Amino acid sequence: MTDTLRQLAEVLEQRKQADADSSYVASLHAKGLNKILEKVGEECTETLLAAKDCQHSDDKSDLIYETADLWFHSLVMLSHLGLGPEDILQELERRFDLSGLAEKAARQHT
Ligand SMILES: N=c1c2ncn([C@@H]3O[C@H](COP(=O)(O)OP(=O)(O)OP(=O)(O)O)[C@@H](O)[C@H]3O)c2ncn1[C@@H]1O[C@H](COP(=O)(O)O)[C@@H](O)[C@H]1O
């Protein structure tokens, strides 16, 4: 699973140097951060709608498709800002064995 993210991140880094006419990722970088954020927001909304629509259905394919779009555009956003999936995975790993409720309580006492 992590290997897929690593491979995609490598492609995204290569596409920073690519021609915007032949690469969707390069075209997003060329349009700049605001366009990338607009796409992340759009995909986020589409993911929420797909989740609502499929909650009582056995067919979750739309949710899988929209979440893939959201993850992909989030990775482009991170790449644009000099970050990659390894930074997020590292943060998630740091949180292993730390209850969300305990973490929240600790924050409220600082
Ligand atoms: N995983 C993806 C991926 N997921 C989604 N998309 C594109 O993201 C876009 C999603 O935007 P929308 O659904 O809003 O469609 P749209 O209306 O065409 O978009 P806009 O015109 O509104 O920007 C579509 O063009 C999809 O093809 C992706 N484009 C590329 N990748 C990966 O990135 C690699 C590099 O892509 P290129 O830079 O195009 O070579 C590819 O080999 C893939 O591995």
Side-chain angles (χ1 to χ4, degrees):
M1 178 176 69
T2 310
D3 204 44
T4 306
L5 287 176
R6 189 184 53 73
Q7 283 181 44
L8 179 55
E10 278 174 18
V11 174
L12 296 187
E13 280 314 297
Q14 289 162 8
R15 292 299 195 269
K16 279 183 170 176
Q17 329 298 335
D19 180 358
D21 289 333
S22 60
S23 157
Y24 174 68
V25 174
S27 77
L28 283 178
H29 287 301
K31 286 174 187 161
L33 182 61
N34 283 357
K35 178 64 188 181
I36 296 170
L37 297 181
E38 185 185 302
K39 293 302 298 179
V40 173
E42 234 176 68
E43 302 304 347
C44 189
T45 305
E46 285 168 14
T47 301
L48 300 184
L49 293 174
K52 285 294 281 181
D53 284 350
C54 81
Q55 65 182 322
H56 302 302
S57 164
D58 289 336
D59 182 3
K60 308 278 197 260
S61 54
D62 279 356
L63 179 57
I64 292 170
Y65 187 93
E66 295 301 345
T67 304
D69 274 355
L70 176 59
W71 284 23
F72 165 71
H73 285 89
S74 298
L75 288 171
V76 174
M77 174 191 70
L78 292 171
S79 163
H80 193 80
L81 296 170
L83 295 172
E86 66 282 359
D87 297 295
I88 311 308
L89 293 173
Q90 203 175 47
E91 173 60 17
L92 288 172
E93 280 165 26
R94 188 189 65 78
R95 298 178 190 182
F96 280 169
D97 299 326
L98 178 62
S99 150
L101 293 177
E103 184 276 335
K104 187 171 179 174
R107 254 189 297 130
Q108 283 165 349
H109 289 105
T110 54

